[in-house]
Amino acid sequence: GENVEQHPSTLSVQEGDSAVIKCTYSDSASNYFPWYKQELGKRPQLIIDIRSNVGEKKDQRIAVTLNKTAKHFSLHITETQPEDSAVYFCAASLGGSTLGRLYFGRGTQLTVWP
Amino acid sequence: SQTIHQWPATLVQPVGSPLSLECTVEGTSNPNLYWYRQAAGRGLQLLFYSVGIGQISSEVPQNLSASRPQDRQFILSSKKLLLSDSGFYLCAWRPGQVRGSYNEQFFGPGTRLTVL
């Protein structure tokens, strides 16, 4: 099955700096890559996703890049704010499958210091 | 719009006691349903998933079981809880039987289980 590795496990940045979280996947058939944000005690919520026919996607301060050849994708957060502090999960999936399984990375605890 | 409910929100149970957690989805039909466990505040471990009534697939053999008695109801059970069963249990859904779509999953609010 698919194996998703996520790094780093913890990340601390100063408010206003950028944060980058990287993930690799093993199954070249995976073609859908969502990112979830989980605040303390809350449910994970989708913040951005990318499909394999796209190399980059942006949504305000958040962007995701995908390198299919190298089988890795990254989350970029610019101008970080204290409210960005949370655990971030990457995931990979075979889009179009009726099973809809997501394979998650182990998460990155992002702390943004004011 | 679709909503997903889980109850109870929190639960404290003694070792060896039974468990029943419930998840229901509103506003959709024939969803795919998933149970995850999150221990120590981090990684999401997929426990079970279901693509239809009575159809359950297990990812991790353990003392937990799942059932789907109705289209939009998913239940997680145990006959005898272990200390290691403590954690945050999340139910999730996505539209089922939609070929060509991509697999965003929507999570419920979760149940925090403490086994003493």
Side-chain angles (χ1 to χ4, degrees):
Chain A
E2 175 64 277
N3 181 47
V4 177
E5 300 281 343
Q6 183 172 347
H7 299 281
S9 58
T10 60
L11 179 60
S12 292
V13 300
Q14 203 72 35
E15 182 178 2
D17 288 349
S18 295
V20 180
I21 302 170
K22 299 182 179 181
C23 291
T24 60
Y25 60 99
S26 61
D27 190 341
S28 57
S30 291
N31 58 5
Y32 174 66
F33 307 92
W35 286 87
Y36 286 82
K37 175 184 179 182
Q38 186 179 27
E39 298 177 352
L40 188 63
K42 303 277 185 71
R43 73 187 85 183
Q45 294 196 306
L46 181 76
I47 55 171
I48 195 167
D49 56 15
I50 191 168
R51 304 177 185 181
S52 60
N53 59 349
V54 175
E56 183 176 4
K57 184 177 179 181
K58 287 184 179 180
D59 183 3
Q60 299 182 351
R61 297 186 296 109
I62 294 173
V64 58
T65 59
L66 172 66
N67 183 326
K68 287 191 297 181
T69 303
K71 289 188 283 189
H72 68 70
F73 56 112
S74 300
L75 178 71
H76 304 253
I77 306 174
T78 59
E79 300 174 23
T80 53
Q81 301 167 3
E83 51 264 38
D84 294 328
S85 296
V87 178
Y88 291 81
F89 293 97
C90 63
S93 177
L94 178 59
S97 164
T98 55
L99 293 178
R101 278 208 58 183
L102 287 176
Y103 295 85
F104 284 91
R106 295 173 68 84
T108 296
Q109 173 68 64
L110 172 65
T111 303
V112 180
W113 300 101
Chain B
S1 64
Q2 301 87 7
T3 55
I4 179 170
H5 303 279
Q6 286 186 246
W7 62 88
T10 60
L11 190 60
V12 180
Q13 292 284 94
V15 169
S17 64
L19 174 73
S20 181
L21 303 181
E22 189 165 342
C23 170
T24 58
V25 182
E26 296 178 353
T28 188
S29 297
N30 197 29
N32 285 7
L33 296 171
Y34 310 85
W35 276 114
Y36 292 88
R37 177 168 62 197
Q38 191 172 33
R42 291 289 292 270
L44 293 161
Q45 179 187 31
L46 179 64
L47 302 175
F48 301 94
Y49 61 95
S50 172
V51 298
I53 295 174
Q55 301 179 60
I56 309 294
S57 296
S58 173
E59 284 295 305
V60 183
Q62 53 204 328
N63 70 321
L64 299 173
S65 62
S67 62
R68 186 170 175 173
Q70 299 180 43
D71 180 44
R72 291 168 290 175
Q73 183 185 32
F74 205 21
I75 296 172
L76 183 69
S77 304
S78 174
K79 293 182 179 178
K80 287 186 178 182
L81 283 169
L82 307 172
L83 285 174
S84 58
D85 290 324
S86 293
F88 191 41
Y89 287 81
L90 289 156
C91 180
W93 76 275
R94 63 146 284 200
Q97 300 294 324
V98 186
R99 290 191 181 278
S101 69
Y102 291 81
N103 301 329
E104 178 182 357
Q105 290 184 14
F106 302 89
F107 286 87
T111 294
R112 189 161 302 281
L113 172 66
T114 302
V115 182
L116 301 175

